[in-house]
Amino acid sequence: MALTLSPEAQDLLFREARTANTFTTEPVSDEQVRAIYDLIKYAPTAMNQQPLRIVLVRSLEARERLVRLMSPGNQAKTAAAPLVAILAADLDFHEELSRVFPHRPGARDAFDADEALRTRTARFNAALQVGYFILGVRAAGLAAGPMGGYDADGIDKEFLDDAHTVLAVVNIGRSGPDAWFERLPRLAYEEVVTTV
């Protein structure tokens, strides 16, 4: 086999992992979330930008505010999950470039001068990090339920400031009863990969 990752790890991260729709009541600790972040922070982004920002929704009051902003099909899942993370892009990521990409001193100024480029770059690289985050949740032995059905403007206004924009909302915890839908078909290699 061409992969060096063990078959068990491949199953945990990919083949057996699915979006969870129900969770147990077992809490997700700050230590678990820190371990997830401490793993995924090493995954690549362009120029080491790291624009992902994470808001953990723990309090009942904050959870109620978030549930109101979820689409009807996601409200009950979000209300019941042990932990919910709002994953956002920091549109002012360039302010950290002198620290995280120090060998290119002019990088901050190039992004500061072009808001459209900065926004596009922040959203793209933070979206990569959303994928890494989901894999990190799985690596921690937890289940993730990423969702895109929500009022984005409402979440931005309620939970974020003008420099941040939501990309995904992820329910996190141990999978509960009937957590999974049936595995859906995947496209074949020949349908996806072209050699030129």
Side-chain angles (χ1 to χ4, degrees):
M1 177 170 262
L3 300 175
T4 58
L5 195 63
S6 75
E8 295 79 18
Q10 293 172 41
D11 287 345
L12 178 69
L13 298 177
F14 297 101
R15 286 192 293 257
E16 298 298 324
R18 296 191 224 154
T19 296
N21 292 290
T22 67
F23 297 90
T24 69
T25 58
E26 181 181 334
V28 176
S29 70
D30 288 337
E31 293 77 19
Q32 288 171 300
V33 177
R34 180 176 293 277
I36 291 164
Y37 177 73
D38 285 342
L39 174 64
I40 68 152
K41 70 183 179 183
Y42 294 107
T45 55
M47 297 173 69
N48 198 33
Q49 293 167 3
Q50 306 171 62
L52 181 70
R53 299 298 179 264
I54 303 166
V55 176
L56 299 177
V57 181
R58 288 203 181 273
S59 74
L60 180 60
E61 180 270 331
R63 182 73 62 101
E64 289 171 353
R65 290 181 359 229
L66 178 60
V67 166
R68 287 193 300 269
L69 297 168
M70 301 303 293
S71 65
N74 291 332
Q75 289 180 344
K77 293 186 282 191
T78 303
L83 178 63
V84 182
I86 297 170
L87 304 183
D90 181 357
L91 304 179
D92 285 340
F93 71 89
H94 66 300
E95 298 296 347
E96 302 295 333
L97 284 178
S98 63
R99 183 161 60 104
V100 299
F101 201 65
H103 54 280
R104 186 140 172 227
R108 182 230 174 260
D109 296 338
F111 284 105
D112 193 55
D114 190 337
E115 183 179 357
L117 172 65
R118 188 171 69 245
T119 299
R120 186 171 61 250
T121 301
R123 292 181 67 87
F124 173 77
N125 284 282
L128 289 175
Q129 290 184 284
V130 168
Y132 304 145
F133 182 83
I134 293 166
L135 291 175
V137 169
R138 292 172 176 179
L142 299 170
M147 298 171 292
Y150 50 75
D151 174 353
D153 291 337
I155 290 177
D156 285 355
K157 182 179 178 184
E158 191 72 25
F159 292 95
L160 305 170
D161 60 31
D162 290 341
H164 298 84
T165 186
V166 63
L167 297 177
V169 176
V170 181
N171 295 327
I172 304 168
R174 300 261 178 222
S175 58
D178 301 317
W180 322 112
F181 296 138
E182 289 297 316
R183 171 68 75 195
L184 296 173
R186 296 300 192 259
L187 296 175
Y189 177 88
E190 295 76 17
E191 297 175 282
V192 175
V193 178
T194 304
T195 302
V196 294

